[in-house]
Amino acid sequence: MNELAITVIGRDRPGIVADVAEVLARLGANLTDSTMTRLRGHFAMTLICTGPDAAEVETALVPLAAEGQLLATVRAVTPDGEVAPAGEPYVLAVHGSDRMGIVAAMTRVLVDAGGNVTDLSTRLAGSLYVVLAEVELPAGVAETVTGRLHRTAAELGVEVTLRPADPDLL
Amino acid sequence: MSDGQSGPDGGRDVEAYAGLGDWTPESLAVAGEVRAVVSAPHQVLSRAGDEVDPTAEETVRLAADLVATMRVSPGCVGLAAPQVGVAAQVFAVDVTGHPKAVTVHGTFVLCNARVVEATRWKPGREGCMSVPDLTGDVKRASRLVVEGELPGTGAAVRLVTDGFEARALQHEIDHCAGLLFLDRVAGAHAVYQRKVYL
């Protein structure tokens, strides 16, 4: 079974998801994991699909891209399935005045502690910059990481919180 | 431990509702059997459960089975009949010892339960035995009044609770209505791969 990593980005308009999903469905490409969102007027999609080969999907997406409004890439990838959890889940929240290097500095702290960012989004609203991330941290390092994050945040002039994201099982 | 004795509000029969009193699963006088827990997308999880006769023998047996199954399931603080494949409005709850629990009513089973007051809504991340690979952010009332009937006697009860027990009750009442936490998540990016297994 082919597994494809597809990205589509373009100026937002109603119908992008339906158009791309229709092309994939027509080709028998099964849309598995995906994330899609609007970023400052651009609609961005990252999709994992199984089914046809990459060239076939690329060709089928050309008419959408031909309007000059969408850019699509298709790449065959090796199926990995689900990766085993690497640590304990945390949510990182950062907010403050926009400046260069906030994401770079904060995520470097996490990586240096053996952490892994599994999801991250940023929003710029006026001069306010917000970073939200889902992070896996090795057991027992959260307190040390929190201290380092606070020191880095102070240098950047932003606020940071790191809190456990463990779910309640019901 | 609170037994939720506060009286019902206007319009209801005040005498008809009481707290759990000294009810325990042992009062069912039936040895519960452990049943298999079904996972989504099993159809029974998406179907509203039928109202039950709390005094019927099959309801009493189901109640005992829910308690028995809940007790052998690690980390399980609640289990609804649809989760063992029965489309009925019966569930068991026990949040005893949970670090987030404030008010705790011990182990109890309710039939035909409904929420009559829900206030102080708070977000929280939930996982479910029937959706083993995902979790999601769900807003739930942290102050809750629930009415239902006890299996066996059929006594009408009114439970006033809060915090984690309130969340557990809403989660189980949803199961009885054919709803999963997936039906209530906070947004398109509020579902996550479950990362920690017990």
Side-chain angles (χ1 to χ4, degrees):
Chain A
M1 177 73 76
N2 292 313
E3 188 160 285
L4 306 177
I6 302 171
T7 65
V8 181
I9 186 163
R11 187 161 298 287
D12 187 37
R13 62 165 173 80
I16 295 176
V17 177
D19 290 349
V20 173
E22 264 173 26
V23 167
L24 297 173
R26 202 167 58 233
L27 295 175
N30 192 24
L31 207 169
T32 55
D33 286 13
S34 68
T35 183
M36 312 183 193
T37 194
R38 185 166 60 185
L39 304 167
R40 304 190 83 74
H42 305 278
F43 195 75
M45 315 166 75
T46 308
L47 323 166
I48 299 292
C49 289
T50 55
D53 66 43
E56 196 180 350
V57 175
E58 211 154 36
T59 306
L61 289 172
V62 164
L64 293 178
E67 295 165 14
Q69 296 293 310
L70 289 177
L71 177 65
T73 68
V74 183
R75 190 161 61 92
V77 293
T78 309
D80 281 337
E82 278 309 311
V83 178
E88 297 166 350
Y90 286 83
V91 175
L92 171 81
V94 180
H95 59 86
S97 275
D98 185 30
R99 55 166 286 173
M100 288 293 294
I102 296 174
V103 173
M106 302 308 272
T107 54
R108 183 58 62 194
V109 171
L110 301 171
V111 174
D112 287 348
N116 189 27
V117 175
T118 56
D119 205 342
L120 186 144
S121 66
T122 67
R123 293 285 173 186
L124 177 63
S127 61
L128 176 66
Y129 195 66
V130 181
V131 184
L132 296 169
E134 296 271 328
V135 182
E136 290 171 4
L137 288 177
V141 306
E143 204 174 317
T144 312
V145 169
T146 301
R148 287 182 192 154
L149 287 170
H150 277 288
R151 280 195 292 279
T152 306
E155 288 164 16
L156 293 164
V158 297
E159 303 298 321
V160 63
T161 56
L162 182 73
R163 58 184 172 82
D166 51 323
D168 292 323
L169 302 175
L170 298 163
Chain B
M1 181 153 161
S2 158
D3 62 359
Q5 291 283 359
S6 51
D9 45 24
R12 290 199 180 84
D13 181 354
V14 175
E15 296 302 316
Y17 293 93
L20 289 177
D22 56 2
W23 191 90
T24 68
E26 286 65 42
S27 66
L28 294 171
V30 176
E33 290 177 15
V34 174
R35 299 206 194 183
V37 175
V38 301
S39 293
H42 196 296
Q43 272 195 333
V44 72
L45 294 168
S46 301
R47 192 183 136 197
D50 298 323
E51 281 199 28
V52 297
D53 171 0
T55 63
E57 192 186 327
E58 60 177 347
T59 306
V60 171
R61 202 178 318 117
L62 175 61
D65 290 355
L66 287 171
V67 171
T69 309
M70 180 171 71
R71 283 181 171 160
V72 300
S73 306
C76 181
V77 297
L79 192 66
Q83 293 181 278
V84 297
V86 182
Q89 293 181 33
V90 186
F91 63 82
V93 161
D94 186 1
V95 299
T96 305
H98 192 282
K100 288 188 187 167
V102 184
T103 299
V104 176
H105 286 86
T107 310
F108 60 92
V109 179
L110 287 183
C111 304
N112 309 319
R114 62 205 170 276
V115 173
V116 292
E117 283 177 38
T119 53
R120 300 196 190 180
W121 295 78
K122 291 184 179 168
R125 193 166 292 187
E126 293 185 10
C128 175
M129 273 178 83
S130 295
V131 189
D133 297 323
L134 299 172
T135 64
D137 292 333
V138 184
K139 217 169 178 185
R140 303 278 193 193
S142 65
R143 290 292 181 91
L144 195 74
V145 181
V146 165
E147 290 173 354
E149 291 137 25
L150 290 172
T153 62
V157 294
R158 179 181 176 90
L159 236 62
V160 181
T161 191
D162 52 33
F164 186 63
E165 192 176 67
R167 182 170 288 271
L169 277 161
Q170 289 163 88
H171 184 102
E172 303 312 330
I173 289 170
D174 271 357
H175 271 305
C176 292
L179 297 172
L180 298 173
F181 75 83
L182 297 173
D183 296 303
R184 293 202 188 273
V185 287
H189 292 271
V191 171
Y192 312 87
Q193 291 287 336
R194 186 164 154 192
K195 291 165 187 164
V196 178
Y197 289 86
L198 289 164

